[in-house]
Structure formats: structure tokens, C-alpha cells
Amino acid sequence: MSNAMWGGRFAEGPDAVLEAINASIDFDRRFYAQDIAGSKAHVAMLAATGIVSKADAAAITKGLDEVLAEIESGEFTFSRALEDIHMNVESRLAEIVGPAAGRLHTARSRNDQVATDFRLFVRDALDALGASLLRLQQALVDKAAENAASVMPGFTHLQSAQPVTFGHHLLAYVEMIGRDRGRLSDARRRLNECPLGSAALAGTSFPIDREMTARALGFDRPTANSLDAVADRDFALETLSAAAICAGHLSRFAEEIVLWSTPQFGFIRLSDRFSTGSSIMPQKRNPDAAELVRGKSGRVIGALVGLMTVMKGLPLAYSKDMQEDKEGLFDALDTLDLCIAATTGMVADMVPNLAAMKRSAGAGYATATDLADWLVRVVGMPFREAHHVTGRIVAKASEAKLPLEKLPLEAMQEIEPRITADVAGVLGVVNSVKSRTSYGGAAPANVRRQAARWRKALAKQ
Ligand code: ARG
């Protein structure tokens, strides 16, 4: 049997393999609600402009509501032979309403229909991701405020660099997630134009009112070029780019959680709720959630690369390749949302080991820069010379296997006679971190201020 929706010129029905490669219903049924909302807006406009009769429009609207109820109650039978969500809905509508249902597709094509549905879906997903990220920020800010003065090592090259605080480190991620949220809302703003009425590619000769449908669906305006409207998926790419950057942030943090929770670092303890055991090694507490947040970022980045590759060679306007825009995006956004939730849970539950962090903060001569700064400030040395002198002192302490604050004053004075007992004040990690008061620096007072600023800002969002 040839296809009921487009089979007019066909004598034979499709091969089973064509049906298998062509059907998108298994995944695009996910935006049935957006599809029906789009159809309702469209038919209301067709009635308002006199393109279909008020009676037909009312019957179609009622029928669409019935289809929606059937889908939501699980009664609806989706059919692969009907390819996609658009034709599944319309075909059922025809069964309910009769021939008048055929008027719904006036001045419309599946090309502008799918572009509209997909934008509506992505818009909802962007809002949901933004809300999840807000909760993650709140969890991070709470933990940061509690740990504004918890000294921990700061690293460069994963080597001890200078002491920071746990709160300062967590607030670094609050900033990153803040920009991720900004990117999601930028994407939303640019996405929010309505393709409906662009029809297949060239617009339509019917006197449609595109402002009306755009408004009804919550779009800011109709898209200005019919070819662009049906041919581009940059809104999906932009969303995936923002998602991939965000997944990258979560992955870096996850990597740190994995490191910090090892017995070797011992900086944090993950809760039982966020740890798994080993079936052979009874002592193990594995950070599987963090590892999976790190691992799943690959899928999000993969979806971006996948869709960029699908799109890059397509001549305008629509090609069926574009049906490949959906599965990767669905998977990427679901994955990201799960990763955000897992990260939020781990942060809320994690308990820092303050003694271990502090001990480690002093390892590796992490206050050497403080000594060099003291030589500049008190003795008046140029920084480059102070760097060199401090390097010699560090070498001496290292030979004696002593931390800087335990190296006798006389030993330092052998290298630089102008060093006085006053230097002791800057050699400990607590004083070191306290002195980092420059704007954006790691001093506990700064961290407290930044955490309070974020808390206030987040409460308003
Ligand atoms: N299922 C299709 C998609 O997702 C809908 C658009 C089909 N348009 C067409 N001209 N065949 O892209």
C-alpha cells in the first residue's frame, strides 16, 4: 500500500529497509506535545485569517486535544509506516475528525513544522537545564561558605603551588557554571523565533498571519527568511556547544573529586549515597558517580561534533539528513541533566578532611612565594632577585628535609643576612592564604564576600 500522506504518485509501498531507515517516530514522538501545540496555534490562525472555516478549526482543535489525551494516557498506537510524529498525529486526527482534518496542513509543511517543534523542545530543555545548574550553584555556594577558611593546596601542573581555600576552589566552579547558564540563556534568546509559516522552503501564497502563531507559541517574532528557517539547526548546535562546554566543566570537577577522594589525597569523603563498593576488595569506596560524570561528557561533546558534521555539507534548504539532529541532542541533554544532578548530590554530601587538606597545603614549599614577597616588601629586593634567594633557601630546606617554617633563622640568614625573625609570620599556610586579599584572591575574607554575593544573586533567580 502506498503512503496515505504522500502516496498519491506512488504505485507501490516502501521497502521494509526504507521504512527502517526513514522512520523517526521511535524518537521524535518525544515532542508530541510541542507538535500538537504547534498544530493548534496553526489552525487557530487559519481560522482567524479565514483560510479554514471556524467550524473545521473547532473540530480540528478538539480532535488534537483528543490525540494529546490518547498519547498521554498511553492509548495511542504509534506507527512506523507513518514515519514521524507529525504524520502519526495527523493520521489519527483524520480518524477522529474525518476529512476536515486534511485542512490542518494548509499553508504548512513538515519542514516548518519540525523546525518549530524542535525549537520548542530545545527551548523547554534549555529552561530545565538552567534550573538544574542553578541548584548546583546553590550547593557549591553553600559548601564554599562553610569552607571559606578551610586551607587547601592550590595546584599548577598538579604540583603544590600556593595555598588556597576549599571555598575558593568551589567558587571557581560557581563562576564557570554561571557562564554556562549565561550561554544557555543566550542560546535561548537567539532560538526564540518561529519558523511556522515558512512552509516547505519558500513561504506560502495563503494570507497567513505569522505574528499570530509566533505569539501563540511564546516566540518573540517569526523568522525573517523562509529558507533559513527550515534549513538551519544552529540553535541545536549552539545548545550543544553550551552543553559540551558545561559537560567539560563538570568533567574537570569530577576528575578532582576522583583524586580528592583517594586515600592518597584524602581531601574529601564522599557520602555512602554517592560511593560504590567493590565485589572483591572490601575496603573500597569508589567514586563511580564522579567517574561517570567525567566519562559521560564524551557523549555530550560527541553529539555536538556529530551534528556539526551532519550539517556542514547540506545545500539549502531541507534535506532528510537533518532528521539526524534529534537523537544526539536528546541523549546529550538528558546526559547533561543527569550529570548535573549527580554533581549536585556529591557536592551537597561531601565532607572535607580539613586536617588532611591543611597538611597537604604546606607540602612542596607552597609558601615560597610568600617568602619571596616578604623579601620584596620588607628588604626592598627586586622580585627576580627575591625569587632566586628564595630558591636557594628552598633548596637548603629540602636538603635538610625540613618545611620552610622549621628551617632555623640562622640557616636562612646564611643565604640572606637581612632576613629577620619577622619572616615567620608569612611562612605558614594560614597566613599565606589570609594575605591573598587582592580582588578575586583566595583570602577567607574574600571568599566569604564572594559566597554572600553569589547567594544573594542566586536567590533572585
Ligand atoms: N521527520 C522529519 C525530520 O525530522 C520531518 C520533516 C520531514 N520533511 C520532509 N520533507 N520529508 O526531519
Side-chain angles (χ1 to χ4, degrees), residues 374-393:
W374 184 91
L375 290 168
V376 170
R377 211 173 41 244
V378 180
V379 177
M381 262 182 206
F383 183 77
R384 281 290 160 226
E385 188 188 338
H387 184 287
H388 186 77
V389 168
T390 305
R392 289 177 58 207
I393 294 174

Side-chain angles (χ1 to χ4, degrees), residues 108-429:
R108 185 178 77 169
S109 151
R110 278 188 292 158
N111 295 350
D112 59 338
Q113 195 178 353
V114 74
T116 305
D117 294 1
F118 199 34
R119 281 188 193 229
L120 288 172
F121 178 89
V122 173
R123 193 175 72 185
D124 290 345
L126 285 169
D127 291 344
L129 282 174
S132 303
L133 285 175
L134 173 65
R135 285 191 290 276
L136 172 56
Q137 282 186 303
Q138 279 161 338
L140 286 164
V141 169
D142 286 348
K143 204 46 64 164
E146 285 164 28
N147 289 285
S150 307
V151 178
M152 77 176 272
F155 299 93
T156 60
H157 314 268
L158 198 58
Q159 305 279 332
S160 288
Q162 293 173 353
V164 294
T165 74
F166 189 42
H168 195 57
H169 197 115
L170 296 176
L171 285 184
Y173 284 103
V174 175
E175 297 287 338
M176 294 180 224
I177 304 294
R179 290 191 297 276
D180 289 332
R181 288 180 55 207
R183 273 181 281 273
L184 295 177
S185 40
D186 287 348
R188 188 196 200 282
R189 203 169 318 122
R190 259 184 299 280
L191 159 157
N192 208 29
E193 295 185 345
C194 187
L196 203 56
S198 302
L201 75 163
T204 175
S205 57
F206 289 100
I208 58 172
D209 181 350
R210 294 193 59 209
E211 293 285 347
M212 182 180 168
T213 40
R215 220 176 309 117
L217 294 168
F219 287 108
D220 295 330
R221 63 193 78 85
T223 50
N225 180 296
S226 61
L227 282 173
D228 169 48
V230 297
D232 206 359
R233 293 292 183 267
D234 60 351
F235 63 91
L237 290 172
E238 198 172 346
T239 299
L240 285 172
S241 312
I245 294 172
C246 178
H249 287 151
L250 298 185
S251 179
R252 292 181 77 172
F253 187 37
E255 163 65 7
E256 294 188 322
I257 292 175
V258 171
L259 282 174
W260 293 344
S261 60
T262 56
Q264 287 72 16
F265 271 79
F267 287 1
I268 57 165
R269 183 178 168 88
L270 287 175
S271 66
D272 284 359
R273 304 190 323 148
F274 282 96
S275 305
T276 52
S278 154
S279 52
I280 175 169
M281 297 166 282
Q283 84 283 10
K284 293 276 272 190
R285 291 175 63 79
N286 291 330
D288 290 34
E291 292 164 78
L292 285 162
V293 168
R294 189 178 58 188
K296 282 176 189 290
S297 63
R299 289 166 57 161
V300 182
I301 296 161
L304 169 63
V305 176
L307 186 55
M308 297 241 272
T309 315
V310 167
M311 295 303 297
K312 71 170 185 55
L314 299 183
L316 304 191
Y318 179 85
S319 294
K320 201 59 176 271
D321 313 46
M322 287 162 66
Q323 181 166 284
E324 289 295 310
D325 58 2
K326 297 173 194 63
E327 286 164 288
L329 181 131
F330 291 158
D331 180 71
L333 301 191
D334 288 346
T335 298
L336 181 59
D337 205 41
L338 184 59
C339 290
I340 297 167
T343 308
T344 306
M346 285 189 285
V347 169
D349 279 17
M350 69 171 58
V351 178
N353 182 338
L354 302 183
M357 281 186 178
K358 192 171 170 192
R359 209 177 314 119
S360 174
Y365 303 99
T367 56
T369 318
D370 299 276
L371 173 54
D373 286 350
W374 184 91
L375 290 168
V376 170
R377 211 173 41 244
V378 180
V379 177
M381 262 182 206
F383 183 77
R384 281 290 160 226
E385 188 188 338
H387 184 287
H388 186 77
V389 168
T390 305
R392 289 177 58 207
I393 294 174
V394 166
K396 193 163 201 176
S398 169
E399 251 164 58
K401 298 199 176 16
L402 289 172
L404 274 183
E405 69 271 26
K406 295 269 161 61
L407 187 69
L409 182 60
E410 304 74 57
M412 291 196 207
Q413 285 168 337
E414 274 165 31
I415 292 168
E416 173 47 62
R418 285 172 290 179
I419 294 180
T420 65
D422 173 72
V423 78
V426 302
L427 297 180
V429 291

Side-chain angles (χ1 to χ4, degrees), residues 19 37-38 40 69 76 182 241 321 342 362 364 396 433 436 461:
E19 196 172 290
K40 285 173 73 171
F76 192 93
S241 312
D321 313 46
K396 193 163 201 176
V433 87
R436 299 283 190 254
Q461 286 158 3

